[in-house]
Amino acid sequence: LPALVVNDAQWRPEGTPHAVPGFGGPPQTRKLPAHCEVLASSAERTAADGQRYAIHLRLRLPLAWNGRFLYQGGGGSNGVVGDALSGSGLDQGYAVLAQDSGHDNARNNDPQRNQELVFGFDPQARADYGHASLKPTAEAGLAWVERFYGKAAKHRYFSGCSKGGQEGMAFAQRYPEVFDGIVAAAPGFALPKAALAEMWDTQQFGRLVADPATGRVELGKLATAFTGPQLKAVRAAILEACDADDGLADGIVGDLRRCTPAKVRARLVPRTCPGGADCLSPAQIEALSASLQGPRNKSGQALYSTWFWPSGIDDAGWRIWKIGGEGGMPPALNVLLGSRAMASVFSTPPVALPPGPQGGLDYAMAFDFERDAPAIHTVAAPFTRSPWQDVGMRDPNLSAFQRRGGKLIVPHGESDPVFSLADTLAWFDEANTLAKGRAAEFVRVFPVPGMAHCGGGPATDEYDALAAVVRWVEQGQPPASLVATRIEGDAPRFTRRLCPFPQSARFDGRGDPADAASW
């Protein structure tokens, strides 16, 4: 890394407390194993607009090292240095690295240019976010591991979800020599196109609550596009249509390919009625159908992907992204994050939105898919690469990763409201065609029925993909399935097999349906 500076290096003794966010509750405290924590920065520079940028990273080097290196992926717009714990990775003895992808949400924040998304106005900062910061930070971490322990890491792994999944795909596609095994969950490998879908969804649902006189949508009303009982009614229709296709009606739609839009709509239409908390209007059904068909231009050309009908549609993990929480808080993440990301990071030239979330909603409602969507592929000074070239990592050609023996696991939730599982499966089909039908020898996609974005939903969303890729790399054992757990409170509720696409789990009709061994 150029101009690498170690800002801090501290020994953390056994039992050092670390606060972990509580995700809706108070922070939790965990005790860490003995390790050296290194904080560093590099490539510090002043951009043309006066913003000061640098790549910041954190590396944790455990005393009880297992001989492995683990790179922890980021999330969202990045801009914060990850905790370098990677779940229980540090506890298991991995040396763990995390970074901020070249911008700092606190320092690089301009209210007049989309707040912390201002980095999208700078070509280098956008490229660092997309992929350019990845390989140099990995190489720095690997060099420090060798210096600290006196020997190189025996095996090198990456694990991330969402933007972290996009980063895993960037390593597999652009830097295939770096890692032996990669977990790229819910991969945002088509981020610019998924941002178009965020604009599209906001329009479909916003029109349901638009002011009849002006057509304007107020941010506080977007969450009223569907009531909680209405979304439960949609889930009920999906379950009626598709739940039993995997051999058991248990609230999980396991056989996704048999759950066609026509089957679901046939169960939805009888739920239309003039009033009532769980009634659906024809306009609401059409808005959902349009959303799940994905964004299109005036000629009907698909601009992203279709979606599966989400069996977790009534879960907070789906509605918070699409329309916002019940009561309007938090507002829709498609507006809070999606609009500003679309305007800053995924458009050339970038567009400065008015301050505040209402400005993002107005931008989304006015977005023209004929005029504005091509901005994801546009190159214009000072940008020498388009947003798609910088951030899109959807290349199905993994031949270099395959040749060097790399292994890739891709878990993805069926009810993910941000990145379409249908797009991930289409990508696998393309990769399999290029690999002459042998892609499963080095990459496996695991759909997770009911799961929202990276977790949550009515799903068996607890599984250990990292352990699976380690066994694949080090013992030559490809994962025939992942055993996943549904947890309610502190007690496991049931386990289920997650099968690699195109397989799906089916109940054997004899054993305990709560036991994965019966599937």
Side-chain angles (χ1 to χ4, degrees):
L1 279 169
L4 180 64
V5 177
V6 175
N7 299 312
D8 193 25
Q10 296 288 335
W11 181 252
R12 307 298 183 192
E14 182 79 25
T16 296
H18 179 81
V20 180
F23 298 107
Q28 304 295 311
T29 300
R30 60 184 287 188
K31 294 182 178 180
L32 303 182
H35 69 281
C36 177
E37 180 182 9
V38 181
L39 297 171
S41 59
S42 73
E44 188 156 356
R45 62 187 177 85
T46 301
D49 60 2
Q51 291 283 328
R52 292 284 295 167
Y53 290 104
I55 301 171
H56 296 89
L57 56 100
R58 171 181 280 115
L59 177 67
R60 297 188 192 267
L61 300 152
L63 178 64
W65 185 43
N66 65 13
R68 303 182 181 103
F69 174 76
L70 177 60
Y71 195 120
Q72 174 182 312
S77 62
N78 285 350
V80 294
V81 181
D83 58 21
L85 300 176
S86 195
S88 61
L90 182 69
D91 295 325
Q92 296 175 32
Y94 289 87
V96 186
L97 175 79
Q99 61 126 351
D100 66 0
S101 78
H103 62 275
D104 184 313
N105 286 345
R107 181 168 68 170
N108 305 125
N109 195 313
D110 184 346
Q112 302 305 314
R113 290 184 299 163
N114 306 337
Q115 297 174 287
E116 72 271 15
L117 278 298
V118 66
F119 73 88
F121 287 73
D122 179 74
Q124 184 59 50
R126 190 172 74 181
D128 284 338
Y129 170 77
H131 68 90
S133 64
L134 294 172
K135 184 180 179 183
T137 51
E139 290 176 338
L142 287 164
W144 272 334
V145 164
E146 186 167 1
R147 175 173 292 190
F148 186 77
Y149 295 109
K151 56 184 176 181
K154 289 186 295 185
H155 295 286
R156 299 170 290 182
Y157 297 97
F158 178 96
S159 182
C161 190
S162 189
K163 177 61 174 71
Q166 181 262 2
E167 292 163 359
M169 288 293 185
F171 275 115
Q173 295 166 22
R174 298 200 182 198
Y175 313 114
E177 71 281 5
V178 177
F179 289 107
D180 304 313
I182 294 172
V183 176
F189 56 12
L191 261 167
K193 293 184 178 181
L196 294 177
E198 291 182 294
M199 303 302 98
W200 177 264
D201 286 347
T202 299
Q203 290 187 12
Q204 307 311 312
F205 302 139
R207 292 187 187 116
L208 295 173
V209 295
D211 184 284
T214 66
R216 192 163 191 258
V217 180
E218 297 292 337
L219 183 66
K221 289 191 175 180
L222 184 59
T224 68
F226 295 91
T227 66
Q230 285 173 331
L231 292 180
K232 289 185 183 301
V234 176
R235 169 169 162 79
I238 295 170
L239 295 183
E240 286 176 14
C242 307
D243 188 3
D245 288 343
D246 59 10
L248 184 70
D250 62 347
I252 290 183
V253 177
D255 196 340
L256 301 177
R257 288 175 297 170
R258 294 179 65 181
C259 194
T260 63
K263 286 175 66 174
V264 175
R265 283 182 64 98
R267 303 307 197 284
L268 273 177
V269 171
R271 286 179 165 81
T272 59
C273 54
D278 60 352
C279 291
L280 294 159
S281 70
Q284 286 176 310
I285 294 176
E286 289 309 312
L288 279 172
S289 297
S291 164
L292 298 171
Q293 289 171 5
R296 298 176 182 272
N297 59 19
K298 290 180 180 177
S299 63
Q301 177 188 7
L303 301 177
Y304 176 44
S305 171
T306 60
W307 306 69
F308 291 102
W309 276 85
S311 62
I313 193 170
D314 64 330
D315 184 76
W318 188 89
R319 71 166 294 146
I320 284 173
W321 276 95
K322 298 290 191 180
I323 59 175
E326 290 198 68
M329 292 302 294
L333 297 182
N334 276 0
V335 173
L336 290 184
L337 178 59
S339 291
R340 290 184 293 125
M342 183 74 244
S344 286
V345 187
F346 308 135
S347 293
T348 301
V351 179
L353 304 184
Q358 184 64 48
L361 178 55
D362 293 343
Y363 168 79
M365 292 302 299
F367 195 89
D368 187 312
F369 291 89
E370 200 74 27
R371 178 194 66 214
D372 301 328
I376 71 171
H377 296 294
T378 299
V379 175
F383 294 91
T384 59
R385 299 169 304 278
S386 72
W388 184 254
Q389 290 170 317
D390 272 337
V391 188
M393 300 295 154
R394 202 191 170 283
D395 189 349
N397 186 353
L398 300 174
S399 56
F401 188 67
Q402 177 187 14
R403 284 195 301 271
R404 62 96 57 200
K407 309 300 181 187
L408 173 62
I409 289 179
V410 187
H412 197 161
E414 162 261 316
S415 294
D416 189 327
V418 193
F419 305 126
S420 169
L421 171 61
D423 189 41
T424 299
L425 300 185
W427 167 85
F428 176 82
D429 284 338
E430 295 164 24
N432 196 38
T433 298
L434 290 175
K436 298 182 175 15
R438 303 181 65 177
E441 294 178 4
F442 60 93
V443 55
R444 298 195 177 191
V445 177
F446 290 86
V448 186
M451 191 171 79
H453 187 54
C454 295
T460 50
D461 63 343
E462 298 287 332
Y463 51 88
D464 195 342
L466 178 60
V469 83
V470 169
R471 286 192 296 271
W472 198 1
V473 167
E474 299 181 20
Q475 300 173 32
Q477 297 178 5
S481 64
L482 301 178
V483 175
T485 303
R486 171 81 185 273
I487 295 177
E488 289 189 348
D490 296 326
R493 181 183 176 192
F494 60 83
T495 58
R496 179 67 51 84
R497 291 189 189 278
L498 304 179
C499 297
F501 177 77
Q503 300 177 49
S504 60
R506 186 169 186 83
F507 181 50
D508 65 9
R510 299 184 300 275
D512 180 0
D515 186 348
S518 303
W519 292 79

